[in-house]
């Protein structure tokens, strides 16, 4: 990992390397907006959080994209600096030079108003969105879930460049570097009504969703969002052809042991980080007896989800996805007011 370097901008705070969740939240959050405006021929300016001297609600790499028609997407904080940053980004759209600026929450408050508790100075790079071929490289990498390292210089002319890995970057000098990674998959076993709601909600987590079911009538329901890949297949056979990674997740939902058990045996035999099964506690006890000889059975989560007490499909889906996020971040999923750990488990999306 590259360490921060001192230069004309002064010392930059030390930051850890990229974490999984931030990797799928920063450029990816705003890129559809950036790409749509580029295709329409409208300029876009990006404001990127490249450093700070205190805590904050958004990770390094958090980005606001501001288009020439006045619309914008993204954020750099909980909302306390966005107005200042919008003005600076629109000035660059109007012809001002790209630059790195320091912004502090509360800069626009009156003297007698209290500043926010997170009032540390933010370093924000305000620059036009990357030109070709960098734009196309990012678009393709995000669409195909291919790794890509994106660099933007912190000194004029704030040049953008890309490479497959950090070590292959050729530019020198202070820069903000973000490593885009492939998104972790969510496999839903059983093309049920709950699976359809889960697939819809999971889109906001930037996880590709694959729905597996060998029953032709179920996969033809038409209930699933276009972003989900609905496949008629036995889940264990599909998993054998598409090995799971350590950040992938599997949730069985069919309520048919002939389908669910095959999926669980295949998933537990691999490295998937979250393997869960829907059902009551009594159903799960029966499941454990059937799978008693399955390797990795101690990793099986059941019943799936956090204890939210909900009953509707949306509430059940939220419960399962909330547990998945907690497991991803090594958390138990309790109430924030009852804990003392940092609210965000990971702290950086890129490095300087």
């Amino acid at each position: 990992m590259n360490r921060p370097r001192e230069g004309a901008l002064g010392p930059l705070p030390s930051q850890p390397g990229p974490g999984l969740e931030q990797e799928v939240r920063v450029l990816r959050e705003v890129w559809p907006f950036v790409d749509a405006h580029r295709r329409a021929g409208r300029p876009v300016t990006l404001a990127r959080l490249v450093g700070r001297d205190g805590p904050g609600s958004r990770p390094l790499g958090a980005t606001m994209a501001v288009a020439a028609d006045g619309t914008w997407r993204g954020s750099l904080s909980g909302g306390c600096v966005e107005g200042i940053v919008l003005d600076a980004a629109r000035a660059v759209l109007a012809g001002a030079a790209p630059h790195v600026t320091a912004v502090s929450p509360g800069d626009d408050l009156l003297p007698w108003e209290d500043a926010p508790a997170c009032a540390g100075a933010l370093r924000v790079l305000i620059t036009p969105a990357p030109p070709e071929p960098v734009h196309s490289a990012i678009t393709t990498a995000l669409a195909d879930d291919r790794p890509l390292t994106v660099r933007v210089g912190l000194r004029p002319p704030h040049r953008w460049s890309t490479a497959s890995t950090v070590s292959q970057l050729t530019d020198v000098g202070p820069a903000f570097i973000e490593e885009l990674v492939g998104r972790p998959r969510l496999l839903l076993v059983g093309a049920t009504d709950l699976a359809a709601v889960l697939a819809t909600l999971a889109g906001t987590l930037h996880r590709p969703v694959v729905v597996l079911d060998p029953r032709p009538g179920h996969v033809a329901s038409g209930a699933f969002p276009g972003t989900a890949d609905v496949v008629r297949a036995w889940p264990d056979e599909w998993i054998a052809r598409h090995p799971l990674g350590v950040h992938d997740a599997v949730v069985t939902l069919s309520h048919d042991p002939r389908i669910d058990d095959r999926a669980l045996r295949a998933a537990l035999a691999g490295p998937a980080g979250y393997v869960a099964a829907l059902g009551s506690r009594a159903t799960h006890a029966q499941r454990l007896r059937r799978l008693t000889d399955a390797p990795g059975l101690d990793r099986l989560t059941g019943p799936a989800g956090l204890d939210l007490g909900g009953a509707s499909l949306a509430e059940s889906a939220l419960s399962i996805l909330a547990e998945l996020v907690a497991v991803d971040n090594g958390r138990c999923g309790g109430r924030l007011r009852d804990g003392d750990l940092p609210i965000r488990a990971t702290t950086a999306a890129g490095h300087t």
Side-chain angles (χ1 to χ4, degrees):
M1 180 185 70
N2 291 354
R3 287 295 178 187
R5 306 166 190 161
E6 295 192 17
L9 299 175
L12 293 168
S14 176
Q15 303 292 346
L20 167 69
E21 287 305 308
Q22 275 65 37
E23 289 298 346
V24 297
R25 287 181 188 161
V26 284
L27 274 181
R28 189 182 294 277
E29 285 181 329
V30 301
W31 202 254
F33 176 87
V34 174
D35 189 53
H37 280 278
R38 182 177 183 84
R39 292 175 185 276
R42 289 186 289 268
V44 176
T45 288
L46 299 184
R48 307 205 69 199
L49 179 60
V50 297
R52 62 167 163 249
D53 65 4
S57 60
R58 296 284 288 146
L60 290 183
T63 304
M64 290 180 67
V66 184
D69 65 354
T71 58
W72 58 281
R73 296 290 187 276
S75 65
L76 303 186
S77 72
C80 46
V81 302
E82 275 65 19
I84 300 170
V85 173
L86 275 173
D87 289 342
R90 287 168 176 159
V92 170
L93 280 169
H99 59 283
V100 176
T101 186
V103 181
S104 294
D107 277 351
D108 55 350
L109 295 177
L110 295 174
W112 56 85
E113 295 179 309
D114 289 337
C118 57
L122 310 181
R123 286 181 187 272
V124 181
L125 170 63
I126 301 177
T127 182
E132 294 295 354
V134 173
H135 177 96
S136 291
I138 295 173
T139 301
T140 301
L142 292 178
D144 298 343
D145 281 317
R146 293 208 311 255
L148 185 71
T149 300
V150 182
R151 178 191 187 277
V152 57
L154 294 178
R155 289 178 180 159
H158 303 292
R159 183 175 181 272
W160 292 80
S161 59
T162 62
S164 298
T165 64
V166 172
S167 62
Q168 293 176 324
L169 290 170
T170 57
D171 294 327
V172 296
F176 187 80
I177 298 170
E178 180 179 347
E179 296 175 76
L180 307 177
V181 298
R183 296 173 296 167
R185 294 170 294 179
L186 173 59
L187 271 60
L188 304 177
V189 177
T192 64
D193 52 355
L194 176 57
V197 179
L198 268 167
T200 301
L201 292 183
T204 62
L205 298 180
H206 301 295
R207 278 183 177 262
V209 176
V210 180
V211 182
L212 303 172
D213 200 313
R215 301 167 294 185
H218 284 66
V219 296
S221 71
F224 292 88
T227 53
D229 187 11
V230 184
V231 182
R232 183 188 174 190
W234 286 98
D236 53 332
E237 295 175 357
W238 190 94
I239 291 172
R241 296 192 301 271
H242 305 84
L244 302 176
V246 295
H247 297 300
D248 291 333
V250 179
V251 183
T252 60
L253 304 162
S254 79
H255 288 293
D256 186 335
R258 295 169 297 178
I259 299 172
D260 288 350
D261 288 4
R262 291 174 66 160
L264 294 173
R265 287 182 180 275
L268 292 170
Y274 178 75
V275 182
L278 186 70
S280 67
R281 292 181 177 87
T283 296
H284 189 62
Q286 292 179 335
R287 179 183 299 118
L288 292 178
R289 288 194 291 270
R290 292 194 307 271
L291 299 175
T292 186
D293 61 336
L297 187 59
D298 59 316
R299 297 193 296 113
L300 176 59
T301 295
L306 296 185
D307 184 10
L308 304 184
S312 71
L313 290 174
E315 291 168 337
S316 297
L318 178 63
S319 168
I320 293 170
L321 291 178
E323 183 178 51
L324 170 56
V325 172
V327 170
D328 270 348
N329 291 298
R331 296 296 179 88
C332 296
R335 301 181 75 178
L336 287 173
R337 76 174 191 178
D338 296 331
D340 56 7
L341 293 174
I343 290 177
R344 288 192 297 112
T346 47
T347 57
H351 46 279
T352 308

